[in-house]
Amino acid sequence: MDHKIRVLYVEDDEEWRAGLEQFFSGHGKIDLYASVSSAQACFDALREEPADVVVMDIMLGDDKVTGLDAALDISMLYPSVKIVMLSSLDDKDEIFNEAFLNGAYDYIYKYDFEKLPDAICEAMNHPSSKYGSRLKKLVYEKKRSMVSSGDRELLIRLRDGMSQARIAEELHVSLAAVKKHVGRVMKKFKWERSSNELAVKCDKWGLLDSAENEDD
């Protein structure tokens, strides 16, 4: 490689941003060219200056957009950019698994931040991570199996902005039945945000695509 690896760091904690800027200062192979505090600033930076690798904190202090959300959007909009998640959450299997479903190349705990240079270099030298691609497939298949055809029809309507009352009218069922169905789906995904946000996320994951020979 004849140029330094260009790294963008996304972290809402000012001390961590300053710390990693110092950590990578003068690094022979890695140029931490920008560190930003939010997902919006991340996408602004990517539009202005492309990155090879984004180091993304899981928790961004934003109720609407997490590092996981941002990683998924980066993987869709900038598929050539490698994403390394950085997190202090070391006992959250669901978050770990979703990180890879959302396109992460690697996942580093903050107490192991010294491993970041090796992870970044690995991401540039090897297109597929040792376990990320397989884990993504396994998590996808698990989530796919959770969604029946009826769930999918409901989620598609929610994704399209249809109200629960309109869904009830269109399906010729009671509003109470629709609310109960929405509640079951949200429980399956352990989802605590809005049903529309879940539907949009499922769409980005590819869970709303039609499937052949599928049983409810």
Side-chain angles (χ1 to χ4, degrees), residues 37-69:
S37 61
S38 69
Q40 183 59 56
C42 169
F43 288 105
D44 290 344
L46 287 173
R47 280 191 293 270
E48 291 178 9
E49 297 184 71
D52 298 309
V53 177
V54 171
V55 175
M56 176 71 68
D57 182 36
I58 293 283
M59 308 301 292
L60 292 179
D62 187 330
D63 291 338
K64 294 184 178 180
V65 182
T66 68
L68 293 173
D69 298 326

Side-chain angles (χ1 to χ4, degrees), residues 154-164 167 178-179 181-183 185-186 191-202 208:
L154 173 69
L155 288 165
I156 287 171
R157 288 177 168 86
L158 290 169
R159 175 204 64 191
D160 292 343
M162 195 175 291
S163 69
Q164 293 184 24
I167 293 171
V178 172
K179 289 182 179 295
H181 192 177
V182 169
V185 174
M186 293 181 71
W191 192 260
E192 297 179 351
R193 289 151 66 181
S194 75
S195 57
N196 173 261
E197 288 175 289
L198 173 59
V200 170
K201 181 65 74 69
C202 286
L208 304 189

Side-chain angles (χ1 to χ4, degrees), residues 7-202:
V7 175
L8 169 63
Y9 180 36
V10 188
E11 165 68 67
D12 66 334
D13 187 310
E14 185 176 353
E15 291 185 4
W16 266 97
R17 292 199 306 275
L20 279 197
E21 287 171 4
Q22 179 63 35
F23 178 69
F24 282 108
S25 177
H27 195 283
K29 297 180 179 179
I30 296 170
D31 173 23
L32 181 60
Y33 74 94
S35 58
V36 297
S37 61
S38 69
Q40 183 59 56
C42 169
F43 288 105
D44 290 344
L46 287 173
R47 280 191 293 270
E48 291 178 9
E49 297 184 71
D52 298 309
V53 177
V54 171
V55 175
M56 176 71 68
D57 182 36
I58 293 283
M59 308 301 292
L60 292 179
D62 187 330
D63 291 338
K64 294 184 178 180
V65 182
T66 68
L68 293 173
D69 298 326
L72 180 57
D73 287 339
I74 291 169
S75 70
M76 295 175 68
L77 296 171
Y78 303 95
S80 65
V81 174
K82 300 296 192 299
I83 305 165
V84 177
M85 306 303 295
L86 186 64
S87 177
S88 58
L89 305 174
D90 61 357
D91 60 349
K92 303 290 185 181
D93 289 345
E94 284 293 325
I95 289 176
F96 180 86
N97 291 336
E98 186 178 328
F100 288 98
L101 178 60
N102 289 7
Y105 183 93
D106 207 342
Y107 191 109
I108 304 293
Y109 297 113
K110 283 189 171 179
Y111 55 74
D112 279 336
F113 74 91
E114 295 94 342
K115 295 180 179 180
L116 273 173
D118 287 343
I120 290 167
C121 291
E122 181 79 11
M124 292 308 299
N125 292 328
H126 299 90
S128 296
S129 61
K130 292 177 290 186
Y131 52 86
S133 298
R134 176 156 177 76
L135 184 54
K136 177 178 181 176
K137 183 174 185 291
L138 290 172
V139 177
Y140 170 81
E141 289 175 348
K142 178 183 177 182
K143 289 189 182 296
R144 182 86 186 198
S145 70
M146 292 163 53
V147 182
S148 70
S149 60
D151 294 340
R152 188 172 299 111
E153 290 175 7
L154 173 69
L155 288 165
I156 287 171
R157 288 177 168 86
L158 290 169
R159 175 204 64 191
D160 292 343
M162 195 175 291
S163 69
Q164 293 184 24
R166 179 72 181 102
I167 293 171
E169 181 181 341
E170 185 170 291
L171 297 179
H172 306 290
V173 298
S174 69
L175 178 57
V178 172
K179 289 182 179 295
K180 186 175 182 180
H181 192 177
V182 169
R184 287 200 307 270
V185 174
M186 293 181 71
K187 186 175 181 180
K188 284 183 185 182
F189 285 90
K190 300 178 182 178
W191 192 260
E192 297 179 351
R193 289 151 66 181
S194 75
S195 57
N196 173 261
E197 288 175 289
L198 173 59
V200 170
K201 181 65 74 69
C202 286

